[in-house]
Amino acid sequence: MARSIYDHFRWTTFRFAVMRPDLVVDLPLRLPNDPRPLPVRICEGIRGLVMDGVLAPGDHLPSTRVLSTQLRVSRGSVVASYEQLEAEGYLVAAAGSGTQVNPDLRGLHRRSTTTAAAPRAQHYQGIDLTPGAPDTAGLANSAWRSAWHRACVNPPRITDPLGSPGLREEIAEHLRQMRSLLADPRQVVVTGGARAGLAELIQVLCNGSHRLTIGVESPGYPSLRRVPTALGHRIAGLPTDNQGLDPASLPTGHGGKRLDAVLVTPSHQYPWGGSLSASRRAAVIEWAEKVSCWIVEDDFDSELRHVGAPLPALASLDEKHTILLGTFSSLLTPALGCGYLVVPPALVHSFAQQRRATGQPVPAIVQEAVAGYLSTGALRRRTQRMRQVYRRRRRTVIDVLGSLPGTTLQPIDGGLHAVLVFNGSEEDVVQRCRQEGVGVTPLSTYWGSNDAEAAGIVLGFGSHNDSTLVCALKIIASAVTEHSRTPPR
């Protein structure tokens, strides 16, 4: 039976109510009767609803006109309140749908006396400041979609064991323009990312049987330093300072101490942020030639330089002993799972032989899409745009954390992370941040042992929008101020 006109009108009205954010949200807001200005009291009320979980991330708020009518206050007071909460990172202006609670505030709730002592869930849902994570907003533009569409419509078949010839040529061109490295495409190997590339390289260097000893920077990137030991090889810590790896610490081979390879970050030491000077680069290369050791150059985010132009790759100074390890994770997204190696001519045949047995680590469609995207120049244009965004967020980090008593903010010359060193309990600061909904990484994890030389935290500033970042940084500043100790004069 057909619905009546009344039924149709009732259904249409209900659907319209769901579509309009200002009709589906009714704030249980009660303003305290005190002499403080109205905007301050409104801010406090809305902030409390967010902290108590009454307003969830992504919830839409009434329009300023509707809320002012409900509260019987001037619209200007509500507008001022919304603007203040947006500046604090609690609210965001959603294009075309009014104002909403910041979707990135998941996990940011006020602790109650009944839940404060309860164990926290293992799956973290707060503002996750994972070091090195990029901002992927705007990535899926027309160039990105077109590249993937073409790759999916005409799926390629890759017969070269080292990867798509087209992608290897585009990677060589990318390195020429962005890293001043003249790489032969025939020496480029497409990998499944930095860790997968390092694992493949180790298998080639050990020839399936020889147990290697690999020097790793201490502190250094935890994910990569775990790869050799996971494959049954040994690692040896190499001291670093604000200028990167100390060449004087490299073993000369006397007394049985010998390294088969060293994993270094010459353009942007992780996590300190320093860069190898020209003299240190020359010293490392001279050492490698003298002791016949491979240099594995981890070039993880060298294109994202905030101070000056990107530094030339170490591989541009030495083709015989240096292997460049690269990835598109920081420039595009870690979800891509695509990277590359630039290997010396002596290793090309060994890689090809191993690949004939193990196959391609990156799907052909992914390789074709990345090649198409690079060929349009879209990656270079995106890198230029994102440098401006990251430089602005870097300045925000410096403004909020750069002058806290009893702390030292390490120089942020490049990359997407910052290191804050302080005098106090690292564990207490990390726990306090997590309780307030912000996830940071303990600095001690970068030593991979109990030999950490400093207490501090490592935080990424690339993946969240500016308002969310400000909110998170204020929580970090409060936690560090509370738990750090100012050294006596």
Side-chain angles (χ1 to χ4, degrees):
M1 180 182 295
R3 289 184 298 175
S4 66
I5 294 178
Y6 172 77
D7 289 336
H8 175 76
F9 175 79
R10 181 176 57 184
W11 167 249
T12 304
T13 303
F14 174 75
R15 182 174 58 185
F16 180 64
V18 171
M19 294 297 291
R20 287 188 55 187
D22 58 335
L23 292 181
V24 298
V25 177
D26 185 16
L27 292 184
L29 193 60
R30 298 294 181 266
L31 301 182
N33 186 16
D34 59 45
R36 292 179 301 168
L38 267 174
V40 174
R41 287 183 278 163
I42 296 172
C43 279
E44 182 182 84
I46 296 177
R47 194 185 297 112
L49 293 176
V50 173
M51 297 294 289
D52 291 336
V54 176
L55 282 176
D59 278 353
H60 288 270
L61 271 66
S63 67
T64 55
R65 190 181 304 278
V66 169
L67 186 57
S68 64
T69 301
Q70 292 177 352
L71 298 178
R72 297 181 181 179
V73 300
S74 69
R75 186 185 177 195
S77 296
V78 178
V79 170
S81 304
Y82 278 18
E83 289 177 348
Q84 176 61 31
L85 291 171
E86 286 181 20
E88 294 178 8
Y90 286 93
L91 304 181
V92 293
S97 57
T99 303
Q100 66 179 145
V101 180
N102 193 334
D104 289 330
L105 290 181
R106 302 189 186 280
L108 183 60
H109 298 306
R110 180 183 293 150
R111 289 172 291 154
S112 66
T113 56
T114 58
T115 61
R120 296 184 61 82
Q122 293 297 316
H123 185 56
Y124 186 66
Q125 292 290 338
I127 305 176
D128 188 6
L129 300 185
T130 298
D135 188 341
T136 57
L139 174 60
N141 58 12
S142 58
W144 180 263
R145 293 193 299 270
S146 178
W148 283 93
H149 175 73
R150 290 195 302 269
C152 292
V153 170
N154 298 301
R157 180 174 179 267
I158 299 175
T159 57
D160 193 313
L162 300 184
S164 162
L167 177 55
R168 293 160 66 198
E169 290 179 3
E170 292 299 336
I171 290 173
E173 180 65 10
H174 168 78
L175 292 172
R176 183 186 71 82
Q177 296 196 21
M178 302 294 290
R179 303 293 293 114
S180 301
L181 173 62
L182 298 179
D184 187 337
R186 293 172 296 182
Q187 295 173 229
V188 175
V189 182
V190 179
T191 70
R195 281 180 291 180
L198 180 59
E200 277 197 274
L201 174 61
I202 290 174
Q203 292 297 97
V204 168
L205 296 182
C206 76
N207 198 23
S209 58
H210 177 55
R211 191 183 184 193
L212 305 179
T213 300
I214 300 176
V216 296
E217 295 175 336
S218 184
Y221 191 47
S223 296
L224 287 185
R225 67 186 297 147
R226 286 195 291 263
V227 172
T229 54
L231 296 175
H233 302 278
R234 295 179 291 261
I235 61 173
L238 303 175
T240 61
D241 54 28
N242 289 337
Q243 300 179 50
L245 177 68
D246 181 7
S249 67
L250 296 171
T252 59
H254 299 296
K257 295 183 178 180
R258 184 184 182 280
L259 299 179
D260 298 286
V262 291
L263 178 63
V264 299
T265 51
S267 296
H268 184 208
Q269 202 281 326
Y270 204 100
W272 288 133
S275 302
L276 276 186
S277 63
S279 59
R280 287 197 177 192
R281 289 172 183 242
V284 171
I285 293 173
E286 182 181 358
W287 168 84
E289 293 176 346
K290 184 177 181 180
V291 301
S292 298
C293 181
W294 296 105
I295 302 172
V296 184
E297 179 180 9
D298 179 14
D299 206 45
F300 64 100
D301 62 4
S302 301
E303 297 92 344
L304 301 176
R305 184 94 176 151
H306 307 310
V307 180
L311 300 173
L314 190 64
S316 65
L317 306 176
D318 171 56
E319 184 184 273
K320 186 176 180 181
H321 298 90
T322 303
I323 302 160
L324 184 73
L325 176 66
T327 176
F328 294 111
S329 295
S330 296
L331 296 181
L332 295 173
T333 169
L336 193 62
C338 184
Y340 51 89
L341 286 163
V342 180
V343 302
L347 294 179
V348 171
H349 175 72
S350 298
F351 262 101
Q353 191 174 25
Q354 177 170 282
R355 281 285 180 84
R356 290 188 181 96
T358 60
Q360 290 288 332
V362 182
I365 289 178
V366 174
Q367 294 193 43
E368 187 73 8
V370 175
Y373 183 73
L374 292 177
S375 68
T376 65
L379 178 59
R380 291 188 290 275
R381 294 191 295 271
R382 176 174 174 80
T383 302
Q384 293 293 344
R385 290 195 303 270
M386 296 312 297
R387 279 176 183 164
Q388 299 178 9
V389 173
Y390 296 143
R391 284 170 181 166
R392 184 177 69 245
R393 293 177 186 171
R394 166 186 176 267
R395 171 47 54 186
T396 300
V397 173
I398 295 173
D399 290 343
V400 178
L401 303 180
S403 58
L404 296 179
T407 70
T408 301
L409 182 65
Q410 293 295 119
I412 314 174
D413 294 339
L416 301 177
H417 75 276
V419 178
L420 185 66
V421 180
F422 48 80
N423 298 292
S425 172
E426 184 180 270
E427 181 180 353
D428 288 344
V429 171
V430 172
Q431 182 63 21
R432 170 64 188 280
C433 288
R434 283 184 168 265
Q435 288 172 346
E436 297 297 331
V438 177
V440 294
T441 304
L443 178 59
S444 58
T445 61
Y446 290 80
W447 269 270
S449 67
N450 296 322
D451 300 328
E453 299 175 4
I457 56 174
V458 184
L459 58 104
F461 58 83
S463 59
H464 294 284
N465 60 48
D466 292 13
S467 59
T468 303
L469 178 63
V470 169
C471 180
L473 292 176
K474 289 181 177 179
I475 291 173
I476 292 172
S478 175
V480 172
T481 301
E482 178 181 348
H483 292 285
S484 65
R485 299 185 298 271
T486 303
R489 295 184 178 181

